[in-house]
Amino acid sequence: MENKNLPEIKFGTPVIDGHLDDVYLDSFCFSEEPMVHMGYSPLGREGAMKYMPNTSGKSYYLYDDKYLYICTVVHDETICSRGKEWRMNTVWPWNDDGAESYVWFSDDDYIAVHSDAHNIRSVVDAYVYGPGHHSKMIFRDTPREDWCATIDRENMNYTVEIRIPLPDYVGEGSVIGTILEIDDRWTVEGDDVENMVGALFVPEQCAIDQKFHVKLGKKSTK
């Protein structure tokens, strides 16, 4: 792929604390305003394009010799919680409120991190995959030191920050693909009914393969 004009992820190391550090601000930012969503009905995984006017998000990216860092700041006017017990017993705890980051290090090397906005649980799934099937799948809790989430209820925002180990073959000049997903399935505290489902979406500027392509910039000499 021609990568001369791709946006660049800057070299730098933030603190994983669920806050947007200044070091992110000069790097690549994946903005979702307006957002195009691939919504799903509560009764099945049937796709439908939707807009969620009360929800928006931005993901900021950095990398260093060991990790890719992603800090996602979400504005959500209906932040609510279905409770810790629900989160710890569901396979998809981020569906209430949460951010999901998808990264392709190559066509055959994919990882996703699904994180709960309420700082209770995050899950990693990663696999090498081929057309029509997945293989070598890993599904595990994200190590506590690799993620953190915070909520600012006064300003109706939450922040999810993660770090993903880089494969040995990925570094300065590498091109990766990425997608951001924001979930907001329940809008009332303790509600058992899915009032709104906003799930996987891609930005309008994405390429035909439905990923946004970005390059890892030059390593810092400092």
Side-chain angles (χ1 to χ4, degrees), residues 30 32 57-59 72 99-101 178-182 200-201:
F30 190 106
E32 294 306 333
K58 294 182 178 181
S59 281
T72 301
E100 306 180 55
S101 294
T178 186
I179 292 175
L180 167 63
E181 177 177 343
I182 295 172
L200 183 63
F201 63 85

Side-chain angles (χ1 to χ4, degrees), residues 35-53 55 76 78 82 86 92 94-98 100 181-188 191-201:
M35 296 191 294
V36 178
H37 300 258
M38 183 62 75
Y40 298 103
S41 76
L43 301 179
R45 306 290 284 183
E46 299 175 359
M49 298 307 292
K50 295 179 181 292
Y51 285 90
M52 292 169 59
T55 306
D76 182 352
T78 59
R82 299 201 70 212
W86 178 86
W92 302 284
W94 49 88
N95 280 351
D96 184 358
D97 297 300
E100 306 180 55
E181 177 177 343
I182 295 172
D183 293 307
D184 186 22
R185 296 196 177 193
W186 288 272
T187 58
V188 179
D191 197 354
D192 290 328
V193 179
E194 295 186 49
N195 297 310
M196 170 65 179
V197 282
L200 183 63
F201 63 85

Side-chain angles (χ1 to χ4, degrees), residues 161-211:
E161 187 173 19
I162 64 172
R163 68 181 185 185
I164 301 172
L166 289 176
D168 292 339
Y169 63 87
V170 174
E172 180 181 326
S174 296
V175 175
I176 65 173
T178 186
I179 292 175
L180 167 63
E181 177 177 343
I182 295 172
D183 293 307
D184 186 22
R185 296 196 177 193
W186 288 272
T187 58
V188 179
E189 191 85 18
D191 197 354
D192 290 328
V193 179
E194 295 186 49
N195 297 310
M196 170 65 179
V197 282
L200 183 63
F201 63 85
V202 295
E204 295 173 334
Q205 67 267 39
C206 273
I208 193 169
D209 64 357
Q210 301 299 288
K211 297 188 287 289

Side-chain angles (χ1 to χ4, degrees), residues 25-209:
L25 300 180
D26 291 330
S27 190
F28 169 66
C29 175
F30 190 106
S31 180
E32 294 306 333
E33 298 178 279
M35 296 191 294
V36 178
H37 300 258
M38 183 62 75
Y40 298 103
S41 76
L43 301 179
R45 306 290 284 183
E46 299 175 359
M49 298 307 292
K50 295 179 181 292
Y51 285 90
M52 292 169 59
N54 298 322
T55 306
S56 60
K58 294 182 178 181
S59 281
Y60 298 81
Y61 292 68
L62 287 169
Y63 86 101
D64 60 19
D65 290 325
K66 294 183 178 180
Y67 297 99
L68 176 70
Y69 301 89
I70 305 174
C71 187
T72 301
V73 181
V74 178
H75 177 75
D76 182 352
E77 296 182 8
T78 59
I79 299 173
C80 65
S81 175
R82 299 201 70 212
K84 183 174 181 179
E85 182 178 359
W86 178 86
R87 277 185 172 73
M88 298 309 295
N89 286 284
T90 181
V91 179
W92 302 284
W94 49 88
N95 280 351
D96 184 358
D97 297 300
E100 306 180 55
S101 294
Y102 299 78
V103 176
W104 285 259
F105 293 118
S106 71
D107 289 341
D108 298 318
D109 193 355
Y110 159 92
I111 189 168
V113 182
H114 318 274
S115 303
D116 163 43
H118 301 268
N119 201 40
I120 294 174
R121 192 176 185 193
S122 174
V123 171
V124 174
D125 67 77
Y127 37 79
V128 175
Y129 70 104
H133 71 281
H134 298 143
S135 62
K136 298 183 180 179
M137 185 171 180
I138 301 170
F139 190 82
R140 60 176 173 79
D141 285 334
T142 308
R144 184 69 261 186
E145 63 270 20
D146 288 350
W147 82 287
C148 186
T150 60
I151 294 177
D152 176 2
R153 292 191 181 275
E154 182 178 354
N155 294 304
M156 295 181 289
N157 295 328
Y158 65 83
T159 302
V160 172
E161 187 173 19
I162 64 172
R163 68 181 185 185
I164 301 172
L166 289 176
D168 292 339
Y169 63 87
V170 174
E172 180 181 326
S174 296
V175 175
I176 65 173
T178 186
I179 292 175
L180 167 63
E181 177 177 343
I182 295 172
D183 293 307
D184 186 22
R185 296 196 177 193
W186 288 272
T187 58
V188 179
E189 191 85 18
D191 197 354
D192 290 328
V193 179
E194 295 186 49
N195 297 310
M196 170 65 179
V197 282
L200 183 63
F201 63 85
V202 295
E204 295 173 334
Q205 67 267 39
C206 273
I208 193 169
D209 64 357

